[in-house]
């Protein structure tokens, strides 16, 4: 039996060769769109593996410098730093976060003077420094909003003074973008940018990150400040506020379960949209690949491409170096 298909419009014609597929390809993701998250310690030398983030390490000073140099050679020049803080230095007020002795600030200074061409993004939140493991101050089990703002402001100011190019408030307190913008401007840092974690969801996919920093909340969860995974309109409200308060970039986090939110912000905002391909998303793929259940490189490219296609111009990802290496080989 022969079925005669009289069809003049045939989509497969546009897929018939690699050249044609390249001609019609709608989305391209370059290494220059990626931001590489790095976990750093106060040690002179350290390269401690993070069990739930295979291929990622807690880096001492020397290893951080070589990691940056290697990345630059691969065309990767944007980094976000997260501090691994000794348990003994953590307290209820996250004091070490606003201490001028914070090694995090020293590292940033050194990196910006050794590699002036890099773009360095910070993290503003209390959790790496807090004995409670929450992003704001805790009082009688409640996360305080307004009382947390001056601490976040001070952190941001110290980071700007240390040379960070972009301040990254990941804490989700109301009004923090405006508070940070005004303290930066007051101190002549009007040129320092803010990438706001605008739609940051209360997600299970942050697990490996909390392992890396040993920063899981000691009690309760983050649902009174991070967003409910069921909501999308609320992301628009957050986006409006961050925009009014002076954010330069809006971020959606995590990325994969929230591709619709990325698209929603993209279509409703004139600001550049970024997305955080978080630790759990990385860990899932690594775990499946190490079992031989997924082809790692192809799945990674597909994952990052989908985030870009959804509308994120910028992607924060632990795959940054792997992706850069792969592009350099092509
Ligand atoms: C906390 C913070 C988290 C991440 C970045 N900053 C975790 C959390 O909110 O508990 C997660 C990043 C990741 O999972 O890769 N301020």
């Amino acid at each position: 039996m022969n079925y005669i298909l009289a069809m003049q419009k045939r989509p497969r014609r546009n897929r018939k060769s690699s050249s044609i597929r390249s001609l019609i390809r709608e989305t391209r993701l370059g290494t220059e769109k990626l931001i590489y998250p790095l976990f750093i310690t106060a040690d002179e030398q350290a390269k401690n593996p993070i069990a739930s983030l295979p291929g990622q390490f807690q880096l001492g000073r020397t290893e951080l410098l070589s990691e940056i140099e290697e990345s630059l050679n691969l065309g990767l020049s944007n980094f976000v730093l997260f501090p691994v803080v000794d348990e003994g230095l953590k307290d209820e007020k996250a004091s070490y976060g606003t201490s001028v002795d914070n090694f995090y600030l020293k590292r940033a200074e050194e990196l910006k003077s050794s590699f002036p061409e890099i773009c360095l993004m910070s993290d503003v939140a209390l959790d790496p420094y807090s004995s409670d493991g929450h992003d704001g101050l805790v009082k009688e089990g409640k996360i305080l909003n307004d009382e947390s703002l001056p601490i976040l402001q001070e952190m941001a100011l110290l980071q700007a003074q240390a040379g960070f190019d972009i301040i990254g408030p990941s804490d989700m307190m109301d009004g923090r973008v405006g508070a940070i913008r005004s303290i930066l401007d007051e101190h002549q840092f009007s040129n320092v940018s803010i990438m706001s974690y605008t739609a940051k969801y209360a997600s299970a996919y942050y697990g490996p990150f909390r392992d890396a920093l040993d920063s899981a909340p000691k009690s309760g969860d983050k649902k009174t400040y991070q967003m409910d995974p069921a909501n999308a309109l609320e992301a628009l409200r957050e986006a409006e506020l961050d925009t009014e308060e002076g954010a330069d970039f809006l971020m959606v986090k995590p990325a994969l379960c929230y591709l619709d939110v990325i698209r929603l912000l993209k279509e409703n905002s004139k600001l550049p949209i970024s997305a955080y391909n978080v630790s759990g998303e990385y860990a899932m793929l690594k775990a499946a690949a190490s079992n031989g259940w997924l082809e790692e490189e192809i799945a990674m490219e597909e994952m990052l491409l989908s985030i870009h296609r959804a509308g994120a111009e910028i992607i924060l990802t632990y795959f940054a170096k792997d992706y850069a290496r792969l592009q350099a080989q092509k």
Side-chain angles (χ1 to χ4, degrees), residues 82 125 127 135 170 200 205-206 209-210 222 226 253 276 278-279 318:
F82 294 101
D127 58 320
D135 293 21
S170 66
K200 178 174 178 180
Y205 290 91
Y206 306 150
F209 175 96
R210 294 177 189 171
K222 298 193 173 185
Q226 299 181 347
K253 176 184 175 184
Y276 201 140
V278 298
S279 58
Y318 303 95

Side-chain angles (χ1 to χ4, degrees), residues 59-72:
L59 301 170
R61 180 180 159 274
T62 317
E63 289 74 12
L64 173 64
L65 289 168
S66 41
E67 186 68 18
I68 301 262
E69 198 168 353
E70 242 179 75
S71 301
L72 283 172

